[in-house]
Amino acid sequence: MQNKPAQILIIDLGSQYTQIIRRSLRYLGFHSVIISDVGRPTIERPTSILKWVEENKPKCIILSGGSASVYDADAPKIPEEILTLGLPILGICYGMQWLAYVHDKNSIQKILESKSYGPVEIKIYGSQTSLLFRNLGEKLKAWSSHGDSVKYPPSGFSATATSQGGAVLEAMENVTKNFYAVQFHPEVEQTEDKNIILNNFVSNICGCKQDYDKKDVIEEIRENTRKALGDGTAIIGVSGGVDSTTLASILTPTLGDQLKAFMIDTGGMRKDEVERVKEITQKAEINLEVIDKYKEKFIQEIGKTIDAEEKRAAFRKVYGEVFKDVAKGYGATHMIQGTLATDLIESGSGSAGASAMIKTHHNVDLDLGLKEIMPLQDYFKFEVREMARLFNLNEILTARQPFPGPGLYLRVVGVPVTAELLEIVREADHRVAEILKKHGVYDKIAQSIVALLGVNSVGVKGDGRVYGYSLVVRTVETVDFMTVKGFYLSPAICEEIISTLVKHPKIVRVFFDWTSKPPATTEFE
Ligand code: XMP
């Protein structure tokens, strides 16, 4: 609901999780607006915070986390006047450190070497008295990701939570001024408060009224896209993934002939993907053209390097060239992308605010000389799945696991991609999915990934030595892919996967990977 005025202002201080604060608020039924204070002005993120507050009169302010230290020369600058506006403020992570620092310059403990990220057990002192922690118990499993911390609450503030051993001050508040702060991240799903903390803040402390309804989203996406497109002609690349297919389904009835949907067969698709996408799009009445003449070019260009970022860059380059060709063929003026908030955040894209670049996404900030429309740029994966359901897209589509645009090219690791290796991972991916389905766990897993590791190791097959590759099977659970946890498979499933995959003459070992994100990412590259 970007078009509505918002009661809640989120000031983005460079956190990977800023959009998640917004998403969690939407989940709770509240619209909010993000302003990035570190440059990159957009219509929705004007640089002047105070001007925006004066014009829009929000009921409260949330300060996001961020990777800076308050001691950094280039730390995000928040105008201190926000402290005197009489608005309740919730500082999260860096936001808490900033709140402490502006009240007492000695209150910040600078950590020079190791940062703390991962789960923390929080001891809440104020669950009976603090409005922020109302309806929570005395212990909370939370997620933290920070370097510096607050040594002591500045004058006027009282401590309301610490880490279990008491080493880290995890929350503080100044009830008179309505300033609240938490060192951990209440917005992420790993903090097991079921969004109670954010809800306590916006509803009970700030008196915000629910103003966001999921059903409004489809109409708003259509209206905004129609406006952005005008009389133009738009192309949309449909990958068969949830995002682009849902978007094409949403827009087809409203844009009609102004929208040209096509699919590029990159050679890195899952087994039977093209046929499956044709079927799905036919049912959704999307008029789809499949273009497969560029497969060889993708393999050739990406196969020139084994470096993860160079491979992504090569994919992106060929993808861009192909898109340009296709756009020219249709005489297109615009390109519509199913890019999500997650993609923008991890690409460190200007459109996502101030977050750091993690990896290059093939379709973010792609310059084709066309005007770009990204109707899903504020949404997360699970929200798009909800849209697909609202839109009556069939359940198979909404329940499908996501698949990255560069596809199996990201799953041949440490060795140049060839058509043969792509075929090995394609078949292995299919076999693993079949096994997971047979054991009834496929639907519980957010994503299963099979990658080929190009490090030779010794095996023995049929009494002969084989110096071959390994496959790694990664199964994870998550809601939004900003953070993931390993989904541990039972020994019986692992055994079946191993015995199936090593049947290939060149595969000698199978590994399993259940590393969380962070520190790993979901994909290997
Ligand atoms: P990471 O590896 O960034 O993945 O933790 C998060 C989710 O995004 C998918 N992914 C991509 N999707 N283009 C896409 O369309 C990409 O370049 C890309 N890279 C990762 C990944 O499969 C996971 O679902």
Side-chain angles (χ1 to χ4, degrees), residues 312 346 359 361-362 402 404-406 410 447 481 517 521-523:
R312 278 179 175 266
E346 298 206 335
K359 43 176 103 164
H361 281 248
H362 67 292
L410 302 180
Q447 196 166 13
F481 286 95
K517 169 187 178 176
T521 55
T522 318
E523 298 285 344

Side-chain angles (χ1 to χ4, degrees), residues 330-348:
Y330 288 126
T333 51
H334 289 69
M335 109 186 215
I336 294 181
Q337 297 267 39
T339 311
L340 302 186
T342 335
D343 305 342
L344 292 172
I345 294 166
E346 298 206 335
S347 297

